[in-house]
Amino acid sequence: MVCLRRLGAAALALFLFLGPAPRAAAESGGPAPEIAVSDWAGLKAALRDCQEQGGRIRLESDIEIDENFDYGGLGLPPVTVDCGEYTIHIKARTPGHQVTFICTDDTLTFTGAGGEDGLLHVCPGGWLGINSIVIQAGSGNAVVQENGGVLVVDQPEPQVEGEIKYADTPTLVPGGSGGIPACSAPEETATLEELARLLPATAKIRVNWQGSMTRTVDQPVEWELAAAEEDLAARRRTVAAGRYVGPLAAAGLEDVRAGECGLLAPPQALVVFPVDGAAMRYADFRTNNGKITVASFDFFAAPGVETSRVLVSQDEGASWAPAEEGSDRHQKPDAGGIYDHTVYPSSLTGEPWFLVELVYPGGRLVHTDVIACDAGQARPVDYIDGHRGGGEPLLPGPPTATPGPAQEGGVGSLPAITQSPTPVPVPTEPPADPIVPQGVGSVQPPQEGQSSPVPAQPAVPAQAAPGGLAPAAQVALGCAAVAVVGVGAAAALNPGLLKKLLRLFKKK
């Protein structure tokens, strides 16, 4: 037993001397690998690979980034992106896609010729955030920001050799949360003037100027509704556009007028036209491998809703089924009169259609408009008026159902539901990429789960294993095995250390 204890002590000493296993790249002692890339898919994959083991990436052409992307973290290995004579252009399929490079210890370096376009170039609608990285341009510009693009230079500032060419004017960035504002147009709304009175007089913005971003402020807006006249006449949902007006006084730029600034996007407001008081407001989808796993909806509804259920159709409205069995929800509106409902479908694919069916007292039914979703892109693709308002139920009632009283327009035959499970909060998915710096974007923290107490188990007396070894002896034997392996490793890495360990055993 004394010998086993000595071997265990030796194993511990060896581990403390050698430390944790180093990275494979460091063990090899060779140069970091170089990866040649010619498009964004290649550059993104190379950055992810090098984030683990370090390396050098060489551009073979100009590259355009047109999606959200974050790179960064703590204690990362050195990575160099050699742009040579080429440029990385930050664009956006839709305004506001953010690209962020942040390394707390300057381990990410961009190097290259520079010139007029720079190594990193922010195009109109693009968004770039940089923090504590190294940018080395041989001449001219290191970073370029065009008017209408967003460039956020966070602290600590990057180490830059070359010029940062900022935009000529501030860029106005929509600053609200939860999507663009939405209003519900009553049935008596008939003119553009009446519609304009429903829209907000101000819009929330932030101002990007010389690498910094202001807090969110309210800026006056004038709405340009001529393009919405046809939609108003047909009572179709529409997005009204406007323009910011007046000086940027709330943002501390009293001498700058909003009309002279670049825009990440113009002010917008959603206008919906309810039927029987119901209209879909927004929808949000989350997917896993191209399958919808979470679907969230909020919607306008006339007061008095008892229960809502989300229905789905995978044959363009020919037939409907519950998006999630047992997900009917008792409803109470928020302070703004908006209702919401989240379901967890069973891996829907393709372009399913969704609507919300509302149950009022007496079994009266009202339906929102239909929303079609692209499961691959996790986004709405169309709003469809079919099945709107009151009408016959889309689902058959239970066999024992008692029809509710007939309503005007043939509404209602499914009885109100009196019980439903408590809705489950929408889980917050972890970000695909590690860090979004403050001022550039935000990552919502995951909700803390609650764990149920585990009942205490009665103590079980230690028993000898087959063969007669007690648990303490088994532990000591395991330590001995570790020591043998460790000593073998020491012999290969450091013969002198092995001799010292053997002398240690002789002394004891």
Side-chain angles (χ1 to χ4, degrees):
M1 181 61 69
V2 174
C3 181
L4 290 176
R5 290 176 179 172
R6 289 179 178 178
L7 285 172
L12 177 62
L14 181 64
F15 175 79
L16 294 176
F17 180 84
L18 295 176
R23 295 177 181 269
E27 288 177 351
S28 65
E34 179 175 281
I35 306 172
V37 299
S38 58
D39 57 20
W40 168 228
L43 176 57
K44 178 165 62 173
L47 284 170
R48 291 297 181 229
D49 290 343
C50 291
Q51 195 170 13
E52 296 296 327
Q53 61 183 6
R56 186 178 185 86
I57 303 170
R58 176 170 50 83
L59 268 58
E60 295 185 332
S61 66
D62 287 346
I63 286 179
E64 295 182 357
I65 305 178
D66 64 350
E67 64 179 3
N68 290 325
F69 179 74
D70 303 314
Y71 177 96
L74 300 173
L76 296 178
V79 176
T80 297
V81 180
D82 183 0
C83 298
E85 60 182 320
Y86 302 111
T87 299
I88 298 174
H89 298 270
I90 289 84
K91 295 188 173 183
R93 288 193 296 266
T94 58
H97 279 131
Q98 301 178 16
V99 176
T100 305
F101 296 110
I102 168 173
C103 293
T104 57
D105 45 6
D106 301 324
T107 55
L108 177 63
T109 299
F110 291 89
T111 184
E116 184 67 22
D117 286 341
L119 307 180
L120 301 173
H121 190 109
V122 187
C123 302
W127 186 316
L128 173 64
I130 50 178
N131 179 318
S132 191
I133 65 174
V134 179
I135 308 174
Q136 300 172 334
S139 62
N141 296 318
V143 183
V144 174
Q145 175 194 10
E146 292 189 44
N147 292 345
V150 173
L151 175 60
V152 179
V153 182
D154 279 341
Q155 297 292 336
E157 295 186 0
Q159 301 179 26
V160 178
E161 296 179 12
E163 298 294 326
I164 297 181
K165 184 180 179 182
Y166 291 108
D168 299 327
T169 62
T171 299
L172 307 186
V173 180
S177 59
I180 63 176
C183 71
S184 173
E187 292 186 9
E188 59 269 20
T189 304
T191 67
L192 293 179
E193 290 74 18
E194 292 172 336
L195 181 59
R197 287 194 289 270
L198 298 173
L199 299 176
T202 62
K204 295 189 179 298
I205 64 168
R206 291 181 291 166
V207 181
N208 176 232
W209 178 234
Q210 297 291 305
S212 65
M213 185 78 80
T214 70
R215 60 183 177 86
T216 300
V217 299
D218 291 315
Q219 187 66 30
V221 173
E222 288 183 357
W223 298 102
E224 299 170 342
L225 299 178
E229 189 167 13
E230 183 178 343
D231 291 326
L232 174 61
R235 298 190 65 78
R236 288 192 300 261
R237 64 187 292 127
T238 185
V239 175
R243 59 189 182 93
Y244 300 109
V245 295
L248 300 179
L253 300 171
E254 293 81 358
D255 297 332
V256 180
R257 301 193 67 80
E260 302 169 351
C261 297
L263 298 178
L264 187 70
Q268 295 179 321
L270 173 66
V271 182
V272 299
F273 299 92
V275 175
D276 278 359
M280 193 78 79
R281 182 171 175 257
Y282 293 125
D284 181 62
F285 300 97
R286 300 183 186 179
T287 63
N288 182 16
N289 294 325
K291 298 179 180 179
I292 299 173
T293 55
V294 182
S296 300
F297 307 90
D298 63 347
F299 47 92
F300 295 98
V305 177
E306 289 188 341
T307 308
S308 67
R309 59 174 67 98
V310 177
L311 306 184
V312 63
S313 173
Q314 295 189 279
D315 51 16
E316 297 186 348
S319 62
W320 294 86
E324 180 189 12
E325 291 291 345
S327 64
D328 299 343
R329 174 176 178 179
H330 288 296
Q331 280 290 351
K332 290 184 179 180
D334 65 10
I338 306 298
Y339 296 81
D340 67 90
H341 197 143
T342 296
V343 292
Y344 303 87
S346 179
S347 301
L348 294 173
T349 59
E351 289 193 4
W353 289 12
F354 294 90
L355 62 75
V356 180
E357 184 174 72
L358 311 175
V359 184
Y360 284 84
R364 183 171 72 92
L365 300 181
V366 173
H367 301 119
T368 67
D369 39 342
V370 175
I371 180 171
C373 172
D374 181 345
Q377 297 294 325
R379 62 183 178 86
V381 293
D382 196 12
Y383 288 85
I384 304 161
D385 279 342
H387 303 293
R388 290 196 66 183
E392 295 299 321
L394 301 178
L395 297 177
T400 58
T402 301
Q407 304 291 327
E408 182 179 354
V411 176
S413 64
L414 188 65
I417 296 176
T418 57
Q419 292 184 351
S420 66
T422 303
V424 181
V426 179
T428 302
E429 297 178 352
D433 301 304
I435 288 184
V436 178
Q438 185 177 0
V440 178
S442 64
V443 174
Q444 297 296 326
Q447 299 178 354
E448 296 182 359
Q450 296 181 348
S451 58
S452 302
V454 179
Q457 300 294 328
V460 179
Q463 297 180 358
L469 283 180
Q474 296 178 47
V475 172
L477 187 60
C479 291
V482 172
V484 171
V485 175
V487 170
L493 295 175
N494 191 338
L497 174 63
L498 179 60
K499 295 178 180 178
K500 293 178 182 179
L501 289 173
L502 293 176
R503 286 198 297 270
L504 176 65
F505 282 117
K506 291 180 181 179
K507 291 180 181 180
K508 292 186 178 182

